[in-house]
């Protein structure tokens, strides 16, 4: 429920404050005084967009603030989900700066317009011309049916089942497409797998083979150089070994003459022993090393195979070839397992469809059971509102499952005798639409939460006894819901628990829209003016008092 509304620097409004009644509030005023401007400001609180054109003064920011009592609305989970502080007294504020920057706050926490729209939908229900046009929308009509037949919770359950079915069907379709592709590729994949499997690849063999190939390709030179090295070290009369032996013997003969000579002798002797060992290894290696043309050919062929496979599969390492082989094997196994997997996926689709369809049938049955009752209630209400010949018919045709169920529902309407009811968007005038929507709101008030209901000149095109019936309906709605109505009819203005008057003050250089809560006497005079004009007669004043007294 809206407890307080503050509007600053918006359009023709410098500053406006109201504290509406929790029941029926009426707002009146001359055309152009600013009634709709105030409604536009309220729209900012429920997430409507704005720009700098709304500023009364371009040097100040626009502020619209609403304080709502949300104790009875069960909104704690909403605040938790949006990470907002919860308080039974909720403050919503919009600010539009002179630069055009817009900011929104809920309990002083900055929020996006999307979050504000979500919360606004719980707090205020604004009946405007735009919403009246929605009545021709089929999805909007279906929401009316679901609210009336109390199937909204069941519909949420159905939509979860529908989502599961769509996902299961998507998985099956994707699997079939992949399976068909794999089946087409099976022969080629089998050939590539067999080729890699036959190669018996080892992860580290490429480096070993490349090193081995380098040795085998230079075998003759290697053997020659090994032999040359051996000859120089120990294989000739004047070899390094012979010369080192003489040097060792020479140092041994003087090693007793000093510590330095002893150390030199020991070091040279150690070197001599190491060279002798190297000479033996050179001799053995040179004698055993042989040119191996067969091994060379094998190594070349093996590496050629590896290089060819790498080029074919666009990889650089043997380990990547092994990975390709494993992937090909998985694909081949997938083809083998496809039949069993497809059967399981089909079973999942069938089961989710059965669950979804069962819930859809349940919802459809419940919706259908309420058609006649809703039709009759609307027809009776429309008759009270001066449309005695109005006919409302709810048409339902079966359709394939979608997110709303299996019902293709249309509300058909005729305002005139002898004219068959037709689709709403084809037959109803603006005034007829407004009265039909009002009747729907009246019925829905007891079906769904509509905390603060705002009617923007819904009484256009009616008068007299019909206006009295309409305002009595508003009074009934206001027993459980806060109602604010902008009206130009005295019959409606007189019934409000509070009556606000919007007027334009032209006393300064720039016009300003103002609003005031009328006292009892002020209210009598304003209603008298609505009846008899600017200077009402005594009879108009008396009529106003009578309207207020009823």
């Amino acid at each position: 429920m809206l407890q307080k509304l503050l509007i600053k620097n918006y359009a023709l409004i410098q500053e406006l404050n109201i504290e509406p009644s929790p029941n029926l509030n009426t707002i009146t005023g001359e055309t152009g005084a600013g009634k709709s401007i105030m409604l536009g400001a309220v729209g900012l609180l429920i997430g409507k967009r704005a720009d700098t054109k709304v500023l009364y003064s371009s040097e100040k920011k626009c502020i619209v603030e609403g304080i709502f009592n949300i104790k009875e609305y069960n909104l704690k989970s909403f605040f938790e989900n949006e990470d907002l502080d919860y308080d039974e007294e909720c403050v919503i504020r919009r600010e539009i700066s002179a630069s055009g920057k817009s900011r929104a706050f809920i309990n002083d926490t900055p929020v996006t317009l999307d979050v504000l729209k979500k919360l606004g939908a719980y707090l205020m229900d604004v009946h405007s011309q735009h919403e009246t046009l929605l009545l021709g929308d089929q999805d909007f009509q279906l929401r009316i049916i679901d609210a009336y037949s109390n199937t909204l919770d069941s519909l949420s359950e159905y939509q979860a089942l529908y989502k599961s079915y769509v996902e299961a069907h998507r998985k099956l379709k994707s699997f079939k497409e992949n399976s068909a592709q794999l089946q087409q590729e099976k022969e080629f994949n089998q050939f590539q797998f067999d080729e890699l499997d036959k190669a018996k690849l080892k992860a580290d063999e490429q480096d070993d083979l490349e090193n081995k190939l380098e040795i085998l390709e230079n075998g003759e030179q290697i053997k020659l150089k090994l032999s040359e090295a051996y000859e120089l070290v120990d294989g000739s009369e004047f070899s390094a070994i012979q010369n080192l032996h003489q040097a060792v013997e020479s140092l041994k003969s003087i090693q007793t003459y000093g510590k330095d000579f002893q150390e030199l002798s020991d070091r040279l002797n150690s070197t001599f022993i190491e060279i002798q060992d190297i000479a033996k290894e050179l001799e053995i290696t040179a004698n055993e090393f042989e040119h191996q043309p067969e091994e060379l050919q094998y190594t070349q062929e093996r590496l050629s195979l590896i290089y060819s496979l790498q080029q074919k599969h666009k990889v650089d390492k043997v380990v990547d070839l092994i990975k390709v082989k494993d992937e090909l094997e998985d694909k081949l196994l997938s083809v083998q397992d496809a039949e069993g997997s497809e059967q399981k996926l089909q079973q999942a689709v069938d089961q989710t469809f059965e669950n979804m369809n069962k819930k859809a049938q349940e919802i459809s049955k419940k919706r259908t059971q309420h058609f006649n009752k809703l039709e009759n209630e609307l027809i009776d209400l429309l008759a009270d509102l001066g449309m005695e010949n109005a006919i409302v018919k709810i048409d339902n045709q079966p359709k394939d499952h979608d997110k709303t169920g299996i019902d293709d529902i249309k509300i058909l309407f005729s305002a005139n005798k002898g004219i068959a009811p037709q689709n709403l968007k084809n037959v109803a005038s603006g005034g007829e639409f407004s009265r039909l929507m009002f009747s729907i709101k009246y019925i829905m008030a007891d079906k769904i939460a509509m905390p603060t209901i705002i009617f923007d000149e819904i009484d256009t095109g009616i008068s007299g006894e019909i206006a009295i019936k309409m305002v009595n309906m508003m009074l009934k709605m206001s027993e459980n819901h806060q109602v604010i109505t902008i009206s130009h009819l005295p019959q409606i203005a007189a019934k409000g628990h509070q009556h606000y008057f919007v007027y334009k003050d032209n006393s300064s250089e720039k016009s300003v829209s103002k609003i005031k809560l009328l006292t009892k006497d002020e209210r009598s005079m304003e209603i008298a003016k609505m009846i008899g004009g600017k200077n009402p007669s005594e009879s108009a004043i008396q009529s106003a008092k009578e309207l207020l007294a009823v």
Side-chain angles (χ1 to χ4, degrees):
M1 181 181 69
L2 179 63
Q3 293 180 310
K4 295 180 181 180
L5 175 66
L6 166 67
I7 303 172
K8 283 186 177 182
N9 200 39
Y10 179 84
L12 294 179
I13 299 172
Q14 264 187 328
E15 183 169 342
L16 177 150
N17 279 281
I18 64 170
E19 296 182 17
S21 161
N23 305 112
L24 178 61
N25 300 268
T26 57
I27 300 174
T28 64
E30 295 180 359
T31 301
K35 300 187 296 297
S36 295
I37 291 174
M38 190 180 73
L39 193 63
V42 169
L44 294 179
L45 293 180
I46 55 177
K48 298 289 179 65
R49 296 193 176 274
D51 56 35
T52 53
K53 293 178 182 178
V54 304
L55 300 181
Y56 176 80
S57 170
S58 60
E59 298 175 356
K60 300 177 182 178
K61 65 182 177 182
C62 165
I63 297 175
V64 181
E65 183 175 278
I67 301 176
F68 296 83
N69 185 325
I70 59 172
K71 181 179 179 181
E72 307 297 331
Y73 293 1
N74 299 317
L75 290 176
K76 283 186 179 180
S77 60
F78 173 86
F79 280 76
E80 290 172 1
N81 292 337
E82 299 296 341
D83 196 23
L84 295 169
D85 294 331
Y86 175 81
D87 196 294
E88 291 179 356
E89 189 173 83
C90 175
V91 180
I92 299 177
R93 187 171 76 258
R94 284 290 298 279
E95 297 180 357
I96 297 95
S97 68
S99 64
K101 184 178 180 182
S102 172
R103 297 196 299 169
F105 302 87
I106 297 175
N107 292 337
D108 288 328
T109 300
V111 296
T112 64
L113 285 188
D114 285 340
V115 173
L116 195 59
K117 284 179 183 177
K118 290 179 186 177
L119 180 59
Y122 291 110
L123 302 182
M124 304 186 84
D125 184 89
V126 180
H127 177 87
S128 62
Q129 186 64 26
H130 171 69
E131 189 188 29
T132 299
L133 295 175
L134 279 177
L135 192 52
D137 181 77
Q138 202 166 338
D139 287 341
F140 187 78
Q141 294 175 19
L142 183 58
R143 289 198 294 273
I144 293 170
I145 302 298
D146 282 325
Y148 187 80
S149 57
N150 196 28
T151 52
L152 290 172
D153 290 341
S154 295
L155 182 61
S156 295
E157 295 172 12
Y158 164 81
Q159 287 171 342
L161 294 170
Y162 176 75
K163 185 177 180 181
S164 298
Y165 167 74
V166 169
E167 179 61 18
H169 192 272
R170 185 197 63 77
K171 286 182 178 179
L172 176 61
K173 182 181 178 182
S174 177
F175 182 85
K176 285 182 176 180
E177 290 172 352
N178 291 336
S179 295
Q181 184 69 22
L182 288 173
Q183 194 66 43
Q184 291 176 0
E185 296 173 355
K186 180 182 178 183
E187 186 174 336
F188 180 62
N189 288 340
Q190 187 69 57
F191 170 78
Q192 289 190 315
F193 172 80
D194 291 342
E195 186 178 44
L196 289 168
D197 189 53
K198 184 180 178 181
K200 305 296 181 186
L201 298 167
K202 298 177 182 177
D204 57 353
E205 68 173 312
Q206 185 173 348
D207 289 341
D208 293 341
L209 287 169
E210 288 173 341
N211 292 333
K212 185 177 181 180
L213 178 63
E214 189 172 7
I215 294 172
L216 290 171
E217 287 180 335
N218 296 280
E220 293 181 357
Q221 184 180 7
I222 291 171
K223 186 172 180 65
L224 176 62
K225 295 302 178 182
L226 284 170
S227 298
E228 285 180 359
Y230 172 71
E231 288 295 323
L232 291 170
V233 175
D234 195 27
S236 63
E237 184 177 354
F238 301 103
S239 65
I241 290 289
Q242 291 298 325
N243 291 326
L244 279 172
H245 180 68
Q246 291 178 12
V248 168
E249 292 301 322
S250 294
L251 286 177
K252 279 184 179 180
S253 64
I254 63 171
Q255 65 183 1
T256 58
Y257 297 141
K259 184 178 179 181
D260 292 342
F261 305 132
Q262 176 69 48
E263 288 180 357
L264 286 171
S265 177
D266 290 343
R267 288 173 62 191
L268 186 59
N269 190 55
S270 294
T271 302
F272 177 65
I273 293 170
E274 177 67 17
I275 295 298
Q276 282 181 313
D277 187 57
I278 291 172
K280 288 179 182 179
E281 287 193 28
L282 283 172
E283 182 182 20
I284 293 170
T285 304
N287 290 333
E288 291 181 350
F289 191 88
E290 296 180 1
H291 179 55
Q292 300 174 290
E294 294 86 358
E295 187 68 18
L296 173 61
Q297 183 179 355
Y298 168 78
T299 303
Q300 289 174 330
E301 291 175 352
R302 182 66 177 173
L303 280 171
S304 178
L305 173 63
I306 290 172
Y307 295 150
S308 174
L309 290 171
Q310 286 175 340
Q311 184 177 13
K312 182 176 183 178
H313 294 283
K314 295 180 175 58
V315 296
D316 299 321
K317 299 177 181 178
V318 173
V319 68
D320 292 328
L321 286 174
I322 294 173
K323 185 178 179 181
V324 170
K325 182 184 79 101
D326 292 341
E327 289 172 353
L328 288 167
E329 186 175 21
D330 289 341
K331 288 181 179 180
L332 293 169
L333 289 173
S334 295
V335 175
Q336 294 176 13
D337 296 340
E339 185 176 343
S341 299
E342 183 175 333
Q343 186 176 4
K344 289 180 181 178
L345 288 171
Q346 184 64 58
Q347 288 173 350
V349 169
D350 294 342
Q351 184 61 55
T352 54
F353 178 83
E354 183 180 344
N355 295 338
M356 173 190 69
N357 186 55
K358 183 178 179 181
K359 180 59 69 173
Q361 296 290 346
E362 173 189 317
I363 293 171
S364 180
K365 182 178 179 181
K366 197 170 182 181
R367 285 169 173 167
T368 306
Q369 288 173 343
H370 288 81
F371 285 175
N372 287 339
K373 186 178 179 183
L374 177 57
E375 290 168 353
N376 292 332
E377 281 193 49
L378 286 172
I379 289 170
D380 290 343
L381 289 172
L382 289 169
D384 286 341
L385 296 176
M387 299 173 67
E388 295 85 357
N389 297 313
I391 299 174
V392 177
K393 190 70 178 175
I394 300 172
D395 179 67
N396 184 26
Q397 300 295 328
K399 67 175 182 181
D400 293 336
H401 296 78
D402 64 14
K403 65 180 180 180
T404 63
I406 55 174
D407 299 307
D408 184 12
I409 290 176
K410 295 185 184 71
I411 297 178
L412 307 180
F413 177 77
S414 172
N416 301 303
K417 190 174 183 180
I419 304 298
Q422 299 178 49
N423 201 312
L424 277 172
K425 60 184 178 183
N426 297 329
V427 296
S429 67
E432 292 164 348
F433 255 147
S434 291
R435 278 180 273 182
L436 178 57
M437 179 62 93
F438 178 79
S439 300
I440 289 170
K441 287 285 176 69
Y442 178 76
I443 294 172
M444 291 299 105
D446 290 330
K447 300 290 183 181
I448 56 176
M450 295 194 302
T452 296
I453 307 169
I454 299 177
F455 293 114
D456 182 18
E457 297 188 351
I458 196 169
D459 50 21
T460 300
I462 66 171
S463 60
E465 188 65 28
I466 295 173
I468 292 173
K469 289 181 178 179
M470 179 176 280
V471 76
N472 285 335
M473 292 168 67
M474 290 182 186
L475 285 169
K476 181 67 176 177
M477 293 170 73
S478 72
E479 291 176 4
N480 298 311
H481 305 276
Q482 184 182 49
V483 178
I484 300 173
T485 181
I486 298 173
S487 177
H488 63 278
L489 293 180
Q491 295 93 331
I492 290 179
K495 295 296 183 180
H497 296 91
Q498 287 184 178
H499 182 171
Y500 291 92
F501 178 64
V502 179
Y503 61 99
K504 191 177 291 185
D505 183 353
N506 297 311
S507 60
S508 58
E509 292 183 0
K510 189 174 181 180
S511 297
V512 178
S513 285
K514 294 184 177 181
I515 190 169
K516 64 182 296 186
L517 177 63
L518 299 180
T519 64
K520 185 176 181 181
D521 290 340
E522 290 172 334
R523 194 172 183 186
S524 294
M525 183 55 65
E526 175 57 25
I527 293 172
K529 289 178 181 180
M530 295 175 74
I531 296 171
K534 189 174 182 180
N535 298 305
S537 63
E538 281 299 322
S539 62
I541 294 172
Q542 185 59 37
S543 295
K545 291 179 178 179
E546 289 175 0
L547 283 173
L548 286 166
V550 174

